[in-house]
Amino acid sequence: MLDAAMTGRKRPPSQRQNAKRQPAGDTHYLYGIHAVATALANPERRSHRLVATDNALQRLKEQGAPVSIDAETQSARDITRLIGPDAVHQGALLYCDPLPDLELETVLEPDSAQRRLMLVLDQITDPHNIGAILRSAAAFSADGLIMTARHAPGETAVLAKTASGGLEHVPIYRVRNLANAMEQLKTAGFQVAGLDETGSVALDTLEFAPSTALVLGAEGKGLRQKTLATCDHIARLDMPGAITSLNVSNAAALALYIASRRLIPV
């Protein structure tokens, strides 16, 4: 069943007022049971058309998804014809608007709700990685994810499917200049900690501030020099095994686990 968290992203009213609504149409869609169920449950999401197999429709209802729009019952093969053979759609396809863009300034306003844990992504471009990071961010109650408007994927069906519902729970803030956004976080009282194998301190020994932002870079390239220079701390994840590095989405999950247990209580 869908729990209380499936009522949409955690945003104060001021963010809804500053959101930019994308035009409606059948060009944007999500697929997969969890992605579709959480999208249907999100009041911020404007849905237009639900296409599902009989079995998928039953699974959506069993999860408590409010199927408030008329569903078109089609076979799995027909749905595959609609979106292509590479989509693992599980018999559920939802045509909808993308979620509205959010302005970072609204979450940093003095009268906004207390923010404790943010993620910052430095030019991570793989939608599978970002989807997996969103899933972990939702699991550990992260308050938002910041990434650049360029050199980062938009809201795609692949990203949403990998996020397994996390896209609906974690607010995403797209910015033009990542270093400037990090400076805004610092001005608002956030400690900004970058993750890099060259870090001078292990993340699990870092003294976390009440509000912390974790910064992760793309695999291979890591954090850019300007990003590194803007961080308050550069921390590393110490691994005891023969392989000492992790996929960025796995590193994000581990960092979130550590941070969620070491944040100073507000």
Side-chain angles (χ1 to χ4, degrees):
M1 297 292 290
L2 301 181
D3 57 24
M6 294 191 71
T7 58
R9 297 184 177 192
K10 301 174 290 185
R11 338 176 164 149
S14 61
Q15 288 180 268
R16 300 189 188 100
Q17 295 166 4
N18 286 276
K20 301 173 185 176
R21 178 66 66 180
Q22 299 291 335
D26 271 7
T27 58
H28 186 79
Y29 58 83
L30 307 176
Y31 56 72
I33 295 296
H34 291 299
V36 170
T38 49
L40 288 170
N42 186 359
E44 301 285 333
R45 175 76 72 175
R46 185 178 298 172
S47 301
H48 304 292
R49 178 187 176 202
L50 175 63
V51 183
T53 63
D54 287 327
N55 179 60
L57 189 59
Q58 182 60 34
R59 290 180 64 189
L60 290 172
K61 292 178 179 178
E62 288 173 355
Q63 289 202 19
V67 184
S68 57
I69 56 178
D70 292 335
E72 301 174 27
T73 303
Q74 296 193 28
S75 69
R77 183 174 297 178
D78 289 336
I79 296 174
T80 298
R81 288 195 187 102
L82 286 172
I83 56 177
D86 296 329
V88 186
H89 53 71
Q90 299 176 298
L93 169 64
L94 179 68
Y95 291 94
C96 55
D97 288 359
L99 285 168
D101 294 334
L102 300 175
E103 301 291 342
L104 180 61
E105 288 74 14
T106 58
V107 79
L108 302 179
E109 291 172 355
D111 60 346
S112 67
Q114 174 68 40
R115 316 312 272 175
R116 302 190 63 227
L117 183 56
M118 300 282 283
L119 284 176
V120 181
L121 305 186
D122 186 7
Q123 295 193 352
I124 297 176
T125 58
D126 187 340
H128 292 93
N129 278 333
I130 294 180
I133 290 170
L134 280 169
R135 183 172 184 173
S136 296
F140 288 105
S141 296
D143 295 296
L145 184 150
I146 300 169
M147 56 184 175
T148 53
R150 298 180 61 191
H151 306 294
E155 180 186 306
T156 67
V158 170
L159 186 154
K161 175 66 167 57
T162 309
S164 194
L167 180 62
E168 311 298 325
H169 296 314
V170 182
I172 296 176
Y173 305 90
R174 296 183 182 272
V175 298
R176 292 185 178 182
N177 186 297
L178 200 66
N180 287 349
M182 293 165 63
E183 291 289 358
Q184 286 181 271
L185 287 171
K186 291 162 71 171
T187 299
F190 276 81
Q191 171 184 259
V192 178
L195 293 182
D196 191 88
E197 60 184 9
T198 65
S200 59
V201 61
L203 185 66
D204 60 351
T205 65
L206 182 67
E207 184 176 341
F208 283 84
S211 295
T212 294
L214 298 173
V215 190
L216 296 102
E219 291 188 55
K221 295 188 300 182
L223 298 176
R224 290 175 294 164
Q225 194 59 43
K226 179 66 172 177
T227 306
L228 285 167
T230 310
C231 291
D232 294 313
H233 305 281
I234 306 299
R236 64 183 187 274
L237 292 171
D238 286 338
M239 309 304 297
I243 296 177
T244 58
S245 62
L246 294 173
N247 168 280
V248 66
S249 62
N250 292 330
L254 179 55
L256 285 164
Y257 175 83
I258 293 170
S260 66
R261 279 153 178 75
R262 291 187 57 83
L263 283 172
I264 300 171
V266 176

